[in-house]
Amino acid sequence: MRKGRIAGIPAWKRGLLVAVIGLTAVGAAAGIRAREAEDGSAMAMGDASGEERQRSSGPQTKVQSAETKKIALTFDDGPHPRYTQKLLDGLKERGVKATFFLLGTNIEGNEEIIKRMAEEGHLIGNHTYYHVDITKLSQEEACREILDTSKQITAITGQPVEYIRPPFGNWDKELECEVMMLPIFWSVDTLDWTTKNTDQIVQKVVKNIEENDIILMHDSYDSTVLAALRIIDLLQADGYEFVTADELILE
């Protein structure tokens, strides 16, 4: 990451960058072991296209709150021309803001969906252009994956892209590009792309949820959209408040 000018990130956020990334790296191994122990087995991995690949979990450091039970819904790999619209309709009806990490390759043709995300107050982040493990690329290739996607999003929303979810949870904190972005990982992985089973997705979340959890989902499946809206209804009734992911890592 560039150590000089931080484009697009307010000054008050800069001092938090080292701490966020450092704490994430230190806590990652322990967080992964804890989640696997709760699940009783190692997670079967693959990507949203159905190819079997390893998705590394990357627990995010939580900020405990004495006031409300805040959690965040995050969606990777979009936008999807059909299911993302359906999800946005449901979020709007419930007054919920979510976080979307977009793939550059899915942006063209879905510009109106992205405009709607921004207009309705959702957080929009970067998920690289082709869903690649940036730690396996050269610095030039990795930066191109990130910068091309951010430029597309900014051209649509008029806002800088400040956050990234690196595919597979693999982040290179030494990466130097033209901009600096904060990585946002997760603490609950629904594995929605493996089951595509609405009931199983809902149970996995409501059974394991804790305050300040960041939930990983994918807005590429109808089963995920249905599950997400049921999760919101159940957890709102249980006193949880849904916020964008930046609120949990920067509060």
Side-chain angles (χ1 to χ4, degrees), residues 50 52 57 70 78 82 92 96-97 121 123 125 128 149 154 158 162-163 165 178-179 211 213 224 240 242 244 250:
E52 297 197 357
S57 178
K70 294 181 179 180
R82 177 180 177 187
K92 185 175 182 180
V96 167
K97 310 303 182 190
L123 180 64
T128 74
T149 302
T154 298
E162 300 178 353
Y163 302 95
R165 169 162 289 160
E178 295 175 15
V179 296
E211 181 181 3
D213 268 333
T224 293
Y240 284 91
F242 289 86
T244 52
L250 293 176

Short mmCIF file of all heavy atoms in Angstrom, two decimals, residues 50 52 57 70 78 82 92 96-97 121 123 125 128 149 154 158 162-163 165 178-179 211 213 224 240 242 244 250:
data_model
loop_
_atom_site.label_atom_id
_atom_site.label_comp_id
_atom_site.label_asym_id
_atom_site.label_seq_id
_atom_site.Cartn_x
_atom_site.Cartn_y
_atom_site.Cartn_z
N GLY A 50 -19.43 -21.86 -9.37
CA GLY A 50 -19.59 -23.29 -9.17
C GLY A 50 -18.30 -24.05 -9.24
O GLY A 50 -18.27 -25.24 -8.97
N GLU A 52 -14.80 -25.38 -7.97
CA GLU A 52 -14.40 -25.67 -6.60
C GLU A 52 -13.06 -25.04 -6.31
O GLU A 52 -12.04 -25.44 -6.82
CB GLU A 52 -14.35 -27.18 -6.38
CG GLU A 52 -15.71 -27.81 -6.57
CD GLU A 52 -15.78 -29.18 -5.96
OE1 GLU A 52 -14.74 -29.65 -5.46
OE2 GLU A 52 -16.84 -29.75 -6.00
N SER A 57 -11.34 -17.78 5.06
CA SER A 57 -12.08 -16.89 5.94
C SER A 57 -11.16 -15.84 6.51
O SER A 57 -10.00 -16.09 6.77
CB SER A 57 -12.69 -17.70 7.10
OG SER A 57 -13.36 -16.88 7.99
N LYS A 70 -25.27 -4.40 16.84
CA LYS A 70 -25.11 -4.08 15.43
C LYS A 70 -24.45 -5.23 14.69
O LYS A 70 -23.51 -5.85 15.19
CB LYS A 70 -24.28 -2.81 15.27
CG LYS A 70 -24.96 -1.56 15.80
CD LYS A 70 -24.09 -0.33 15.58
CE LYS A 70 -24.78 0.93 16.10
NZ LYS A 70 -23.95 2.14 15.88
N GLY A 78 -21.49 -9.38 -7.02
CA GLY A 78 -22.51 -8.72 -7.83
C GLY A 78 -21.92 -7.61 -8.67
O GLY A 78 -20.69 -7.45 -8.76
N ARG A 82 -30.77 -9.59 -11.99
CA ARG A 82 -32.11 -9.92 -11.48
C ARG A 82 -32.14 -9.96 -9.95
O ARG A 82 -32.95 -9.29 -9.31
CB ARG A 82 -32.56 -11.27 -12.04
CG ARG A 82 -33.90 -11.73 -11.51
CD ARG A 82 -34.30 -13.07 -12.09
NE ARG A 82 -35.54 -13.58 -11.53
CZ ARG A 82 -36.03 -14.78 -11.78
NH1 ARG A 82 -35.37 -15.60 -12.60
NH2 ARG A 82 -37.15 -15.19 -11.23
N LYS A 92 -34.98 -2.18 1.00
CA LYS A 92 -35.68 -0.89 1.10
C LYS A 92 -36.96 -1.02 1.93
O LYS A 92 -37.26 -0.16 2.76
CB LYS A 92 -36.01 -0.38 -0.31
CG LYS A 92 -36.64 1.01 -0.33
CD LYS A 92 -36.84 1.49 -1.76
CE LYS A 92 -37.42 2.90 -1.77
NZ LYS A 92 -37.61 3.39 -3.16
N VAL A 96 -33.15 -1.31 5.66
CA VAL A 96 -31.84 -1.87 5.99
C VAL A 96 -30.80 -1.43 4.96
O VAL A 96 -31.06 -1.46 3.75
CB VAL A 96 -31.91 -3.41 6.05
CG1 VAL A 96 -30.51 -4.02 6.06
CG2 VAL A 96 -32.69 -3.85 7.28
N LYS A 97 -29.63 -1.05 5.46
CA LYS A 97 -28.49 -0.74 4.60
C LYS A 97 -27.53 -1.93 4.63
O LYS A 97 -27.26 -2.49 5.69
CB LYS A 97 -27.75 0.51 5.07
CG LYS A 97 -28.64 1.72 5.32
CD LYS A 97 -29.44 2.12 4.10
CE LYS A 97 -30.28 3.36 4.40
NZ LYS A 97 -31.25 3.64 3.31
N GLY A 121 -28.24 4.47 -0.05
CA GLY A 121 -27.41 4.49 1.14
C GLY A 121 -26.61 3.25 1.45
O GLY A 121 -26.07 3.11 2.55
N LEU A 123 -23.33 0.72 1.16
CA LEU A 123 -21.89 0.89 0.97
C LEU A 123 -21.45 0.03 -0.20
O LEU A 123 -21.79 -1.15 -0.27
CB LEU A 123 -21.15 0.47 2.24
CG LEU A 123 -19.63 0.59 2.20
CD1 LEU A 123 -19.20 2.05 2.04
CD2 LEU A 123 -19.01 -0.02 3.45
N GLY A 125 -18.22 -1.44 -2.32
CA GLY A 125 -16.80 -1.71 -2.26
C GLY A 125 -16.31 -2.48 -3.47
O GLY A 125 -17.07 -2.86 -4.36
N THR A 128 -12.26 -6.76 -6.77
CA THR A 128 -11.39 -6.97 -7.92
C THR A 128 -12.22 -7.07 -9.20
O THR A 128 -13.45 -7.07 -9.17
CB THR A 128 -10.46 -8.20 -7.79
OG1 THR A 128 -11.20 -9.40 -7.95
CG2 THR A 128 -9.73 -8.18 -6.46
N THR A 149 -11.65 -1.62 -11.42
CA THR A 149 -12.97 -1.79 -10.80
C THR A 149 -13.40 -0.52 -10.08
O THR A 149 -14.55 -0.06 -10.21
CB THR A 149 -12.96 -2.98 -9.83
OG1 THR A 149 -12.56 -4.16 -10.53
CG2 THR A 149 -14.33 -3.20 -9.20
N THR A 154 -16.70 4.50 -9.44
CA THR A 154 -16.69 5.95 -9.23
C THR A 154 -17.34 6.68 -10.40
O THR A 154 -18.03 7.69 -10.21
CB THR A 154 -15.25 6.44 -9.02
OG1 THR A 154 -14.72 5.82 -7.85
CG2 THR A 154 -15.21 7.96 -8.85
N GLY A 158 -20.00 8.63 -8.63
CA GLY A 158 -19.39 9.92 -8.33
C GLY A 158 -18.66 9.94 -7.01
O GLY A 158 -18.19 10.99 -6.55
N GLU A 162 -13.57 3.29 -1.08
CA GLU A 162 -12.65 3.30 0.05
C GLU A 162 -12.39 1.91 0.64
O GLU A 162 -11.47 1.75 1.45
CB GLU A 162 -13.19 4.21 1.15
CG GLU A 162 -13.38 5.65 0.69
CD GLU A 162 -13.95 6.53 1.78
OE1 GLU A 162 -14.32 5.99 2.84
OE2 GLU A 162 -14.02 7.76 1.57
N TYR A 163 -13.19 0.91 0.25
CA TYR A 163 -13.09 -0.40 0.89
C TYR A 163 -13.00 -1.50 -0.15
O TYR A 163 -13.56 -1.42 -1.25
CB TYR A 163 -14.31 -0.64 1.79
CG TYR A 163 -14.44 0.42 2.86
CD1 TYR A 163 -15.27 1.53 2.65
CD2 TYR A 163 -13.72 0.35 4.03
CE1 TYR A 163 -15.37 2.52 3.61
CE2 TYR A 163 -13.81 1.33 5.00
CZ TYR A 163 -14.64 2.43 4.78
OH TYR A 163 -14.73 3.41 5.73
N ARG A 165 -12.97 -5.95 -0.50
CA ARG A 165 -12.96 -7.31 0.04
C ARG A 165 -12.14 -8.17 -0.92
O ARG A 165 -12.60 -8.49 -2.03
CB ARG A 165 -14.36 -7.89 0.18
CG ARG A 165 -14.31 -9.41 0.50
CD ARG A 165 -15.60 -9.92 1.06
NE ARG A 165 -15.83 -9.44 2.41
CZ ARG A 165 -17.03 -9.40 2.99
NH1 ARG A 165 -18.09 -9.79 2.31
NH2 ARG A 165 -17.16 -8.97 4.23
N GLU A 178 -2.33 3.34 -6.71
CA GLU A 178 -2.53 4.79 -6.71
C GLU A 178 -3.41 5.24 -5.56
O GLU A 178 -3.43 6.42 -5.21
CB GLU A 178 -3.15 5.22 -8.03
CG GLU A 178 -2.24 4.99 -9.23
CD GLU A 178 -2.93 5.33 -10.53
OE1 GLU A 178 -3.99 5.99 -10.48
OE2 GLU A 178 -2.42 4.94 -11.59
N VAL A 179 -4.18 4.34 -5.01
CA VAL A 179 -5.08 4.67 -3.90
C VAL A 179 -4.88 3.64 -2.79
O VAL A 179 -4.36 2.55 -3.02
CB VAL A 179 -6.56 4.68 -4.33
CG1 VAL A 179 -6.81 5.77 -5.35
CG2 VAL A 179 -6.98 3.32 -4.87
N GLU A 211 -23.09 -10.13 18.31
CA GLU A 211 -23.01 -8.69 18.10
C GLU A 211 -21.74 -8.34 17.32
O GLU A 211 -20.67 -8.90 17.54
CB GLU A 211 -23.00 -7.97 19.45
CG GLU A 211 -22.94 -6.46 19.35
CD GLU A 211 -22.91 -5.80 20.72
OE1 GLU A 211 -22.87 -6.54 21.73
OE2 GLU A 211 -22.91 -4.57 20.78
N ASP A 213 -21.01 -8.95 14.26
CA ASP A 213 -20.61 -9.88 13.20
C ASP A 213 -20.77 -9.24 11.84
O ASP A 213 -21.67 -8.43 11.59
CB ASP A 213 -21.47 -11.15 13.25
CG ASP A 213 -20.84 -12.24 14.10
OD1 ASP A 213 -19.59 -12.25 14.21
OD2 ASP A 213 -21.58 -13.08 14.64
N THR A 224 -30.20 -17.03 -1.81
CA THR A 224 -29.51 -16.11 -0.90
C THR A 224 -30.37 -14.90 -0.61
O THR A 224 -30.44 -14.43 0.53
CB THR A 224 -28.17 -15.67 -1.50
OG1 THR A 224 -27.30 -16.80 -1.56
CG2 THR A 224 -27.53 -14.58 -0.66
N TYR A 240 -31.52 -6.88 16.83
CA TYR A 240 -30.31 -6.54 16.09
C TYR A 240 -30.58 -5.38 15.14
O TYR A 240 -31.67 -5.25 14.58
CB TYR A 240 -29.80 -7.74 15.28
CG TYR A 240 -29.09 -8.77 16.13
CD1 TYR A 240 -29.80 -9.84 16.69
CD2 TYR A 240 -27.73 -8.68 16.38
CE1 TYR A 240 -29.16 -10.79 17.46
CE2 TYR A 240 -27.08 -9.63 17.16
CZ TYR A 240 -27.80 -10.68 17.70
OH TYR A 240 -27.17 -11.61 18.47
N PHE A 242 -29.07 -3.60 11.62
CA PHE A 242 -28.21 -3.84 10.47
C PHE A 242 -27.58 -2.53 10.01
O PHE A 242 -28.27 -1.54 9.79
CB PHE A 242 -29.01 -4.48 9.33
CG PHE A 242 -29.39 -5.91 9.60
CD1 PHE A 242 -30.55 -6.21 10.31
CD2 PHE A 242 -28.58 -6.95 9.17
CE1 PHE A 242 -30.90 -7.53 10.57
CE2 PHE A 242 -28.93 -8.28 9.43
CZ PHE A 242 -30.09 -8.56 10.13
N THR A 244 -23.96 -0.74 7.71
CA THR A 244 -22.94 -1.03 6.70
C THR A 244 -21.65 -1.43 7.42
O THR A 244 -21.38 -1.02 8.55
CB THR A 244 -22.70 0.17 5.79
OG1 THR A 244 -22.44 1.33 6.58
CG2 THR A 244 -23.93 0.42 4.92
N LEU A 250 -14.80 0.89 11.91
CA LEU A 250 -14.26 2.22 12.13
C LEU A 250 -14.86 2.97 13.29
O LEU A 250 -14.47 4.08 13.59
CB LEU A 250 -14.43 3.07 10.85
CG LEU A 250 -13.62 2.61 9.65
CD1 LEU A 250 -13.95 3.47 8.44
CD2 LEU A 250 -12.14 2.66 9.94
#
